[in-house]
Amino acid sequence: MKLYHSPTSPYVRKVLMTAIERGLDDRIERITVNGFGEEHRGANPLGKVPALVPDGGGPALFDSLVICDYLDGLARPDGRLIPAEEPARSRTLRAHALGQGITDAALLLQQQKLRNQKLDTPLPEDWWIERQRTAVRAACDDLERDPTPLEGPLDLGQISVATALGYLDFRFPDLAWREGRPKLAAWYEAFAQRPSFARTAPPEG
Ligand SMILES: N[C@@H](CCC(=O)N[C@@H](CS)C(=O)NCC(=O)O)C(=O)O
């Protein structure tokens, strides 16, 4: 397996710890990249590390919880880090969400700090905004290229994508995500007929 890796990333560290604790460390080849570079966007359209390419190829896995869950399932059945049974499962995932939330918040603070620092080569004013817009575009392109994850019976992946696209319509219509993406647009129009989607729409205006 290949892991797109950055030595300072706390998310990468969580994945590496999981691999070590589950005895899979020697099966992982680390590919060190600049987390804010472009080298790994082919593996992860969102442009973030970690991303894991499983043995035998296939699409890379992200984000860190998905990778940890995958590694946990690959290893021996005893000593699971994400328990299968309730209530241990929810207790673990809740604690994970707290840790992840702390990390997400700290990373935002760090990014703000970097922007305010006097760098030798200052980042362009809109660098960070453009990076986020690129992530949105690349993720939508990925779904347009291969919509198969959106097919089949309703699952949380479909709900996640539909609510994300709905949020783009609500807050960022200028991103015009439907343009050049007829398959994704058609899928969304059909999905939007679900009563659960209509009943949870954000207030207008
Ligand atoms: N939710 C993601 C977060 C990953 C993440 O934000 N990684 C940072 C490095 S610590 C990154 O790649 N940032 C680049 C970017 O946001 O464009 C996960 O849990 O894997």
Side-chain angles (χ1 to χ4, degrees):
M1 293 176 275
K2 289 187 170 56
L3 179 72
Y4 286 96
H5 163 277
S6 156
T8 57
S9 165
Y11 307 102
V12 169
R13 185 177 186 183
K14 185 176 68 185
V15 164
L16 289 176
M17 273 200 68
T18 299
I20 293 168
E21 293 289 345
R22 298 295 275 139
L24 297 167
D25 190 31
D26 58 359
R27 288 179 53 185
I28 292 184
E29 179 194 341
R30 299 179 197 189
I31 304 172
T32 301
V33 295
N34 171 358
F36 292 100
E38 288 296 320
E39 199 184 326
H40 50 291
R41 198 178 292 280
N44 179 356
L46 302 172
K48 294 174 193 273
V49 290
L52 180 85
V53 183
D55 281 340
L61 299 176
F62 50 87
D63 59 22
S64 56
L65 177 60
V66 176
I67 299 173
C68 290
D69 184 47
Y70 175 75
L71 294 175
D72 204 28
L74 269 190
R76 60 185 187 279
D78 57 309
R80 296 276 306 225
L81 296 175
I82 305 174
E85 305 298 332
E86 293 294 357
R89 179 177 172 77
S90 291
R91 200 187 65 133
T92 300
L93 290 175
R94 181 182 188 279
H96 173 272
L98 285 176
Q100 186 84 346
I102 292 169
T103 309
D104 291 345
L107 210 76
L108 279 177
L109 292 175
Q110 171 64 8
Q111 281 153 10
Q112 194 61 33
K113 201 159 59 168
L114 277 180
R115 258 185 302 192
N116 293 338
Q117 258 173 20
K118 284 203 168 50
L119 300 173
D120 290 344
T121 324
L123 294 172
E125 184 69 27
D126 57 358
W127 180 84
W128 185 244
I129 291 175
E130 198 37 52
R131 189 161 173 87
Q132 305 315 314
R133 293 173 76 96
T134 300
V136 169
R137 281 193 292 262
C140 290
D141 286 343
D142 192 74
L143 290 163
E144 176 71 14
R145 198 166 37 245
D146 178 16
T148 48
L150 303 176
E151 291 165 2
L154 181 68
D155 64 18
L156 195 60
Q158 295 173 22
I159 292 176
S160 172
V161 170
T163 52
L165 296 175
Y167 190 71
L168 294 182
D169 280 345
F170 179 49
R171 293 293 194 206
F172 299 98
D174 59 303
L175 278 171
W177 64 264
R178 289 174 181 77
E179 267 176 34
R181 300 187 187 98
K183 285 186 271 182
L184 188 59
W187 173 82
Y188 181 79
E189 293 328 311
F191 189 95
Q193 304 307 313
R194 283 191 169 271
S196 61
F197 196 69
R199 277 176 50 193
T200 53
E204 288 191 17

